[in-house]
Amino acid sequence: QVQLVESGGGLVQAGGSLKLSCAASGRTFSNVAMGWFRQAPGKEREFVAAINWSGGRTGYADSVKGRFTISRDNAKNTVYLQMNSLKAEDTAVYYCAADTRSYYSGSYATQYNYWGQGTQVTVSS
């Protein structure tokens, strides 16, 4: 079992920055693949970013590449999403996800077997 708790969401103006955190508990974090997804009102959940066990491999959706950075601190059992140059279209509920069975799961939501409750990010234009 893995418990995931996101934090750091909020309201920010377009062009601003936010840093999301996802704290994990329940098992060894250093061999869990992690990802961030988001869901805007009326839309499907979509992939944002992913990171492998060590943090040496990352992947991003084209829509956030160059603006968002995923990272992890295994000593703190936490994964982060630094979001810069935010746009109105980034407004969504952001979810972190864990895959305890794979080294790296990328954009495949079905690969992830644990999900957090989500944190709201609202970007005003």
Side-chain angles (χ1 to χ4, degrees), residues 1 4 9 11-12 19-20 23 28 34 36 46 48-49 60 64 66 71 74-75 80 87 91 93-94 99 113 115-116:
Q1 287 283 344
L4 302 172
L11 174 64
V12 63
K19 187 173 185 177
L20 305 183
T28 303
M34 300 294 296
W36 285 97
E46 65 174 0
V48 175
Y60 298 92
V64 307
S71 61
N74 288 341
Y80 305 99
K87 305 175 182 180
T91 295
V93 177
Y94 283 71
D99 178 0
N113 50 342
W115 293 81

Side-chain angles (χ1 to χ4, degrees), residues 39-119:
Q39 188 167 19
K43 294 189 176 181
E44 299 279 321
R45 187 174 296 189
E46 65 174 0
F47 168 72
V48 175
I51 191 165
N52 73 335
W53 292 0
S54 67
R57 180 180 178 183
T58 58
Y60 298 92
D62 287 343
S63 59
V64 307
K65 204 170 291 183
R67 299 188 299 122
F68 290 11
T69 302
I70 188 171
S71 61
R72 66 191 295 161
D73 184 340
N74 288 341
K76 295 183 177 179
N77 289 356
T78 301
V79 64
Y80 305 99
L81 185 69
Q82 177 67 48
M83 305 185 295
N84 299 329
S85 301
L86 282 161
K87 305 175 182 180
E89 51 263 44
D90 294 318
T91 295
V93 177
Y94 283 71
Y95 299 89
C96 74
D99 178 0
T100 58
R101 303 161 297 189
S102 303
Y103 172 74
Y104 177 78
S105 298
S107 63
Y108 300 101
T110 54
Q111 283 287 106
Y112 295 88
N113 50 342
Y114 294 97
W115 293 81
Q117 292 299 304
T119 185

Side-chain angles (χ1 to χ4, degrees), residues 19-40:
K19 187 173 185 177
L20 305 183
S21 299
C22 174
S25 61
R27 62 161 285 163
T28 303
F29 181 71
S30 58
N31 57 0
V32 176
M34 300 294 296
W36 285 97
F37 291 76
R38 67 187 182 186
Q39 188 167 19

